[in-house]
Amino acid sequence: MSLVYITHHNENIFNVEREPEKSQDAKGRAPQAQAQATQDYGKHNTEEMAARYAKELRDRLNVEYKKHSVVMLKDGVRLLTDAKKSHHRTMGCANVPLDPPCAFLRKNQGVKWRRENLHVCPKGAHMPPLPECGKKEKKSDMVPNFVLRNIRCARSTVRCPPPPRYVDTPCGTRQNLLNSGLVPQYVCRKDFGQVPVYIHKTKKMLTEAHDVCCKEQRRLAELCGGLKASKSLSAQKLQQSQAAKSGPPDMPGMRVMDQAERNELLVGLRAHLNEMTKSYQSMSLLIDSENKRQRKGKLESDLRQLEQDILLLETSPIIYVSLY
């Protein structure tokens, strides 16, 4: 294997193995070398073809490598082109040039770049010509007069009437007359002095419910063998009038609590009141926990409710009880 010492980076290393190395013993053997050259003709021919192909490839690459993507112009501007940059692609320059100490970067002496403009506008359809530079469009002389327009609008505007007011003090304190009670407003309404609609609806609903209850009572009486269907409404009205004279009026779906039931409820409520009073008095005097405080509050509320119920039963002469 042979070593190649590269100095300028432009050596041709493809032809190094083109000529075989000759030793000292081969100088006295010329006839044998000729015979061997005849036998190796095919081998040398293959090597020549490979060398020729390598040379063509190297020439094509050299032509491509010589294209630079940056072109330095005379004014110091570097022009950036679309060519491939392949100068010193792999190994770089042999000797890197060094700038002298006085060639330091000064103001406005840096690298200036400019893109190469290769764009060409396509030819389009015919366009109308541009107007002349000195020609200007004439503006209308009719400039709107906003002051005059506002004056006319103010004259034609209808003035809003002031709200009615009254003075209630000698100093001139004014108050709004409406909603003050001095002007009759509700008397002038159309529905003033008439029964509201919701009262009519409520009366009608109560009448219908009373009729349904009366029908149901007559049906139950017929089934039980009491009243017969032949009885007229006049007899029922007579019974109702007699009951009204003797006792409290009848309410649909309600009955009057009798005295025996009232006394039984009072006895039960008083017994329950005595038990709760005894449990309340048996509590400890020291209330030092949350449970004791809650129990005391519950007992007090229950006692208060029991006293109100007993008072209601004792003072109310008529008490209605629902039938349902």
Side-chain angles (χ1 to χ4, degrees), residues 90-307:
T90 305
M91 306 183 69
C93 300
N95 297 323
V96 180
L98 299 177
D99 296 335
C102 61
F104 56 89
L105 186 62
R106 293 179 175 84
K107 186 177 181 180
N108 298 329
Q109 291 185 359
V111 179
K112 299 179 182 179
W113 296 91
R114 182 167 61 86
R115 184 73 182 182
E116 184 180 10
N117 189 10
L118 301 178
H119 176 72
V120 179
C121 297
K123 294 182 179 180
H126 179 69
M127 300 294 292
L130 297 175
E132 298 179 1
C133 298
K135 188 176 180 180
K136 297 182 180 180
E137 297 181 359
K138 292 183 179 180
K139 295 183 180 180
S140 60
D141 298 334
M142 297 297 295
V143 180
N145 191 351
F146 298 101
V147 177
L148 182 60
R149 187 182 66 180
N150 294 340
I151 293 173
R152 291 176 180 175
C153 291
R155 288 177 180 176
S156 60
T157 302
V158 179
R159 182 175 178 272
C160 180
R165 296 188 180 93
Y166 69 96
V167 179
D168 57 350
T169 60
C171 299
T173 304
R174 297 185 302 174
Q175 304 291 341
N176 290 329
L177 186 60
L178 298 178
N179 300 328
S180 62
L182 301 178
V183 179
Q185 295 181 358
Y186 301 102
V187 178
C188 302
R189 293 174 57 178
K190 294 181 180 180
D191 56 349
F192 178 76
Q194 300 180 4
V195 180
V197 180
Y198 73 94
I199 294 180
H200 288 293
K201 292 183 178 179
T202 305
K203 286 184 176 181
K204 184 178 180 181
M205 183 180 62
L206 292 175
T207 305
E208 292 177 356
H210 181 65
D211 295 341
V212 171
C213 291
C214 292
K215 290 180 181 180
E216 188 67 19
Q217 288 179 0
R218 288 195 299 269
R219 188 180 66 83
L220 293 175
E222 290 176 0
L223 292 176
C224 296
L227 297 175
K228 295 183 179 180
S230 60
K231 284 188 176 182
S232 60
L233 294 176
S234 61
Q236 294 182 6
K237 291 182 179 179
L238 181 61
Q239 291 179 0
Q240 291 178 2
S241 61
Q242 292 177 359
K245 291 179 181 179
S246 61
D250 294 338
M251 298 293 293
M254 308 289 287
R255 66 177 179 84
V256 181
M257 181 185 295
D258 54 355
Q259 190 64 29
E261 187 179 359
R262 184 194 299 266
N263 295 334
E264 185 180 356
L265 288 175
L266 286 172
V267 171
L269 289 175
R270 288 194 181 98
H272 190 47
L273 179 63
N274 294 332
E275 293 178 0
M276 295 194 66
T277 305
K278 185 178 180 181
S279 61
Y280 180 77
Q281 292 176 353
S282 63
M283 290 182 62
S284 62
L285 298 177
L286 181 61
I287 308 298
D288 55 351
S289 63
E290 185 66 24
N291 295 333
K292 293 181 181 180
R293 191 177 298 106
Q294 292 179 358
R295 186 169 180 270
K296 180 182 177 182
K298 188 176 183 304
L299 287 174
E300 289 177 353
S301 61
D302 293 344
L303 287 171
R304 194 178 301 108
Q305 184 65 33
L306 281 173
E307 291 175 355

Side-chain angles (χ1 to χ4, degrees), residues 37-52:
T38 304
Q39 295 177 0
D40 299 338
Y41 176 75
K43 182 179 180 180
H44 290 300
N45 190 15
T46 305
E47 293 178 356
E48 290 178 359
M49 292 177 62
R52 192 181 307 109

